[in-house]
Amino acid sequence: MTEPKRYSLVTPTLDTPFHIDFEWWRQNDHEWRVHLRSSLCPEHQEKFADVLADEKVDWVDPETAEVQRVDGLQNVLINHCARTGEFITERTSVVEAVFRTFLANGNMHMTPRELGERLNRPAQTILRTISAVRVYKGIRPCPECK
Amino acid sequence: MVLAIKSLREDYWEDFELQDDDIEFLYAHLLETETPLTPQELIVALVEDRIQRELKKIEKKRLAGGSIYLPREQYAIEQKVVFPALGWRQAEVLVSREGYNPDLGDFSVIQVRFENGEEREFAAGLDDHPLNNPYELAEAEGPDVRSILDTYQDRLVQRLEMGLKEDDDFVYIAGRWFPRALLVDVNTGHLNLAEALLDMSGGGPLPTAELLKQVELASNENPKLVEFSLDLALQEDARFDEVGSAGKVLWYLQRLEPEGVRETPEQLRYKEQEYDRGLLTPEMLDLESRLDDELSPVGEPASRDESVAIHLLYPHWRLGTLPLTHRVRPLFPTAYDAPCILFTLVDGESGAKFPGWVVRKGGYVFGLESWYRKRQLMPGSTVWVQRGSRPGEVIVRVEAQRSRRDWVRTLLVGADGGVVFATLKQVVSAAYDERMGIMVPDVNALDGVWAKRQKQPPPFERVVADVARELTKLNPQNHVHVAELYAAVNLVRRVPPGPIMALLASRPWFVHVGDFHFRFDDSAGS
């Protein structure tokens, strides 16, 4: 039996890196790719309706036409949906906006300060939200990411 | 044309190095033109040639077989395909499969193997891709020589010169290159004749064309080539100095140049003094910049139209020189290689012209001794320098004033060779800097001091302390300003402000009392 992952008890600050912890999704019997799919723009939700959760697609380089096999959902989210104005709006909740930011950047860790600048929201509000006792959408501190 | 575009990619000229093919081309080009050319002229021809060579390479690859890869086409197994976007590499189709991407619709994927064994996949049967319309790309990104040179000329010229310098087959003089093998033979007799001609004209300067009228070289050759050949022979002979400013070749007999041009006079020689520049405060660095000494490592170049004031240090006043500081350097003529340049100085008041020499290595301008005497200047006098209206001319002027008697710091030399300062009434005829102005009534006596110190130079720190001690006696507060000390130390030893400032900042017997004034505390010992 695998031992549950332990997390740092140090209180996160504005400069603590966060990321999406996919282990949290597994432990909580959630399928993060369902959320990933729901984050797609309407056009690609329809087009990728038959693409399986972690299925690879053929991505064609716009300059050389070379083909590479990539994660279909994540690729279209990063390269198309995340670039539309509708992906994160002023009305998107803080948790959803942070989650989508991590999805769009390939889950590269970011601090609340950086997230605040990217999302144009108060960094303190972001910190308070994502460092609460309850974990939202697997967003957790990642002190070892520094 | 289109096909060349991808080959001459954006970074093509950034990585430019002179290759064997380039050397061959340049050699042939110079042979063909029979005229020595500047690096700027050569690089235009070379860039044009490189583009032509790339086009030929592409044509060759096209003719070598293989279909040009276009994403919209379908390809058969074992078909040869050329990829323009990958530097025209050739590959063979191994397999074809159905492509899968809901965003792109139906298309195929071909797996290909390149000549080096590398295997990669490419789209086929894909209608919507920019590579399907290469002609549109070509119109947007055509390799235009002018725009390439606008962006990369300096870098390309630098690389070209580096490459040619390493090749003994090329020779360089007065900004032009030519193959050594094509030079016209210039023998010792020709050079002796050139020497005689220069001797007869008082040493020079004479342009090469003038020398060629008397020195008979092969007349059936290209005149520019003959001139270049004589220039090179003269340059390689120590009897001759090329003294023209950039773009102008003038010859002078080295032995007839003024002594102060052939060798840096003793009073301008700086015996490098080690010191810690970290000791200099920002204010000191600012003052150092304003004092504008040619030996200081600081100073902003003046704009070419500016008029710059120079306060004469004693060594420059004594020798009739001007310092070639960072600030005034742009106002004087320069040259590609010539160590000294003969030019014309113009008296800003009378318009009288007289010869001046820019001695690049020594960092000074020579030839103002008579003018200083005529204008009755003294150490500390202010000389204004600006470019003349004609190329190669520099105007010098002073702010003349009616002669008046002023209380002026004066250097007196004792019978034992010791120096002391006194404030005495002196006749002053031109504006001067009050801190740096020091009258020297007996120049010969001071020459004796320099001669004595040349044989047995006292330690630098002692010189500064002795001068500071003497200067502080001249005012009731016993203070000395940094600029006063700098000017006074240079009466007996050539030194820039930096080492003096470092001493002032680091020795306990110099006490800063504010605004660059220091008190000399003899009780602290020196």
Side-chain angles (χ1 to χ4, degrees):
Chain A
M1 183 179 164
T2 50
E3 196 178 329
K5 193 171 173 181
R6 294 180 185 281
Y7 294 98
S8 170
L9 295 175
V10 176
T11 309
T13 69
L14 288 174
D15 296 310
T16 304
F18 281 77
H19 68 166
I20 300 172
D21 180 4
F22 295 119
E23 184 69 11
W24 178 91
W25 285 83
R26 197 184 59 76
Q27 285 173 9
N28 289 274
D29 288 333
H30 291 319
E31 176 49 74
W32 75 274
R33 285 185 176 277
V34 174
H35 288 259
L36 179 68
R37 190 187 295 277
S38 70
S39 304
L40 295 183
C41 50
E43 176 196 347
H44 283 97
Q45 286 202 22
E46 191 181 331
K47 277 188 180 173
F48 280 68
D50 296 332
V51 176
L52 301 177
D54 53 358
E55 197 173 6
K56 304 279 187 196
V57 299
D58 294 309
W59 175 78
V60 179
D61 187 304
E63 283 189 14
T64 63
E66 184 167 4
V67 170
Q68 285 176 31
R69 303 281 287 161
V70 298
D71 183 307
L73 295 181
Q74 196 166 10
N75 181 61
V76 77
L77 181 112
I78 291 171
N79 290 312
H80 180 267
C81 303
R83 294 178 184 179
T84 64
E86 300 299 308
F87 187 63
I88 298 173
T89 68
E90 285 177 0
R91 292 188 302 278
T92 310
S93 71
V94 170
V95 171
E96 187 62 27
V98 170
F99 182 70
R100 288 184 176 213
T101 301
F102 284 127
L103 287 182
N105 77 0
N107 201 25
M108 292 277 289
H109 61 83
M110 290 178 78
T111 65
R113 200 185 299 279
E114 291 165 339
L115 285 161
E117 283 172 17
R118 169 82 70 91
L119 298 169
N120 199 21
R121 311 249 176 123
Q124 200 62 49
T125 307
I126 293 173
L127 172 65
R128 205 165 39 239
T129 309
I130 63 179
S131 61
V133 177
R134 185 181 162 192
V135 176
Y136 294 100
K137 294 182 184 274
I139 300 165
R140 309 195 74 145
C142 176
E144 70 275 16
C145 293
K146 272 186 179 174
Chain B
M1 174 56 73
V2 173
L3 307 176
I5 309 314
K6 286 289 177 186
S7 174
L8 291 169
R9 56 193 187 279
E10 280 175 20
D11 60 351
Y12 181 89
W13 301 104
E14 281 177 17
D15 304 330
F16 175 84
E17 297 285 348
L18 210 60
Q19 309 290 340
D20 289 347
D21 286 351
D22 299 324
I23 298 272
E24 250 176 58
F25 164 75
L26 292 170
Y27 203 92
H29 183 66
L30 287 165
L31 287 183
E32 200 177 309
T33 53
E34 289 189 345
T35 306
L37 296 176
T38 63
Q40 288 74 17
E41 289 165 334
L42 287 173
I43 205 67
V44 174
L46 183 57
V47 168
E48 282 171 354
D49 181 67
R50 273 264 185 128
I51 292 171
Q52 289 308 314
R53 273 186 277 151
E54 286 296 334
L55 287 171
K56 279 182 191 162
K57 268 191 215 170
I58 292 156
E59 196 59 27
K60 196 175 165 189
K61 285 189 176 175
R62 287 185 66 188
L63 294 172
S67 312
I68 290 173
Y69 171 71
L70 294 173
R72 65 165 175 261
E73 301 291 342
Q74 292 287 1
Y75 298 91
I77 309 299
E78 294 186 0
Q79 186 175 349
K80 297 276 192 291
V81 185
V82 177
F83 290 82
L86 301 177
W88 296 88
R89 291 174 66 188
Q90 201 177 58
E92 182 183 312
V93 179
L94 300 177
V95 289
S96 177
R97 65 174 173 82
E98 206 174 304
Y100 175 59
N101 187 332
D103 237 3
L104 300 177
D106 293 336
F107 68 104
S108 307
V109 176
I110 52 168
Q111 188 181 16
V112 303
R113 181 185 292 141
F114 287 92
E115 289 150 330
N116 63 355
E118 185 186 11
E119 291 180 8
R120 288 157 79 169
E121 289 189 320
F122 290 86
L126 183 66
D127 287 332
D128 186 15
H129 194 280
L131 271 189
N132 287 325
N133 305 303
Y135 285 89
E136 290 171 19
L137 283 177
E139 283 162 19
E141 304 169 24
D144 170 56
V145 176
R146 197 63 263 158
S147 64
I148 291 167
L149 292 176
D150 282 349
T151 313
Y152 296 108
Q153 175 152 345
D154 289 349
R155 182 197 302 255
L156 298 182
V157 164
Q158 189 191 15
R159 297 281 165 84
L160 176 131
E161 296 215 277
M162 278 167 60
L164 292 182
K165 273 178 192 164
E166 286 174 9
D167 196 316
D168 290 339
D169 290 339
F170 291 88
V171 287
Y172 175 82
I173 185 169
R176 290 172 193 275
W177 289 94
F178 202 69
R180 188 181 288 275
L182 274 201
L183 294 177
V184 174
D185 182 45
V186 180
N187 60 37
T188 313
H190 295 131
L191 294 171
N192 290 344
L193 197 49
E195 184 183 14
L197 287 167
L198 287 167
D199 206 339
M200 276 159 46
S201 62
L206 286 179
T208 320
E210 199 64 37
L211 294 172
L212 273 172
K213 284 181 189 168
Q214 306 294 328
V215 179
E216 289 178 7
L217 287 174
S219 57
N220 54 344
E221 297 286 349
N222 177 342
K224 283 190 179 175
L225 179 55
V226 174
E227 196 172 316
F228 186 83
S229 302
L230 181 57
D231 280 339
L232 185 73
L234 291 168
Q235 183 181 257
E236 291 180 345
D237 190 317
R239 287 175 287 174
F240 307 96
D241 265 349
E242 201 273 288
V243 298
S245 54
K248 195 171 164 187
V249 181
L250 291 172
W251 293 100
Y252 211 96
L253 263 190
Q254 210 248 1
R255 65 182 158 82
L256 292 184
E257 286 169 4
E259 194 182 337
V261 173
R262 274 186 283 125
E263 274 193 48
T264 302
E266 177 60 27
Q267 282 145 313
L268 286 181
R269 283 190 198 164
Y270 171 45
K271 290 166 192 69
E272 191 79 31
Q273 198 64 44
E274 276 188 27
Y275 69 103
D276 179 5
R277 282 189 69 76
L279 293 168
L280 274 53
T281 63
E283 293 76 21
M284 282 179 168
L285 291 170
D286 180 53
L287 177 63
E288 183 190 37
S289 175
R290 282 186 280 130
L291 288 171
D292 198 26
D293 190 297
E294 75 272 26
L295 300 171
S296 294
V298 293
E300 286 295 311
S303 71
R304 293 163 69 85
D305 302 327
E306 207 173 326
S307 185
V308 175
I310 295 173
H311 307 303
L312 291 178
L313 277 181
Y314 170 76
H316 287 295
W317 171 81
R318 176 72 183 99
L319 298 161
T321 57
L322 279 172
L324 202 57
T325 66
H326 291 284
R327 189 159 165 69
V328 298
R329 203 174 275 266
L331 306 181
F332 288 97
T334 188
Y336 299 118
D337 293 310
C340 46
I341 303 148
L342 183 57
F343 71 105
T344 304
L345 284 160
V346 182
D347 183 327
E349 191 183 334
S350 68
K353 295 183 179 181
F354 53 103
W357 295 80
V358 174
V359 185
R360 292 167 75 200
K361 194 179 168 193
Y364 59 92
V365 174
F366 184 87
L368 296 106
E369 190 176 1
S370 303
W371 187 73
Y372 287 171
R373 304 294 167 256
K374 190 176 168 191
R375 293 282 162 211
Q376 295 178 289
L377 304 190
M378 62 182 235
S381 290
T382 305
V383 177
W384 290 88
V385 180
Q386 69 183 94
R387 288 175 76 89
S389 52
R390 291 186 184 173
E393 286 188 355
V394 176
I395 299 169
V396 283
R397 63 185 169 82
V398 291
E399 281 171 22
Q401 58 189 33
R402 185 188 294 273
S403 293
R404 64 164 198 263
R405 290 178 74 83
D406 267 1
W407 288 101
V408 179
R409 209 171 292 117
T410 305
L411 177 96
L412 303 170
V413 181
D416 60 346
V419 295
V420 292
F421 295 91
T423 306
L424 303 174
K425 277 246 174 184
Q426 302 283 2
V427 177
V428 177
S429 304
Y432 66 99
D433 182 273
E434 291 207 354
R435 295 204 186 284
M436 296 176 67
I438 304 170
M439 193 63 84
V440 182
D442 190 349
V443 173
N444 293 332
L446 191 51
D447 283 349
V449 173
W450 279 82
K452 193 175 164 190
R453 289 182 179 222
Q454 192 184 345
K455 288 178 195 156
Q456 289 176 310
F460 169 65
E461 189 163 349
R462 207 181 87 203
V463 173
V464 177
D466 287 348
V467 172
R469 185 184 296 109
E470 290 301 321
L471 286 176
T472 53
K473 291 175 186 169
L474 297 184
N475 67 63
Q477 296 85 18
N478 297 114
H479 295 166
V480 61
H481 190 276
V482 178
E484 292 166 354
L485 185 59
Y486 157 65
V489 167
N490 273 278
L491 289 165
V492 291
R493 181 178 180 133
R494 182 70 189 99
V495 65
I500 298 172
M501 290 175 172
L503 270 189
L504 292 173
S506 61
R507 297 297 187 263
W509 41 89
F510 292 117
V511 182
H512 188 217
V513 292
D515 197 22
F516 295 116
H517 285 86
F518 285 79
R519 186 162 50 79
F520 182 64
D521 182 4
D522 228 349
S523 63
S526 64

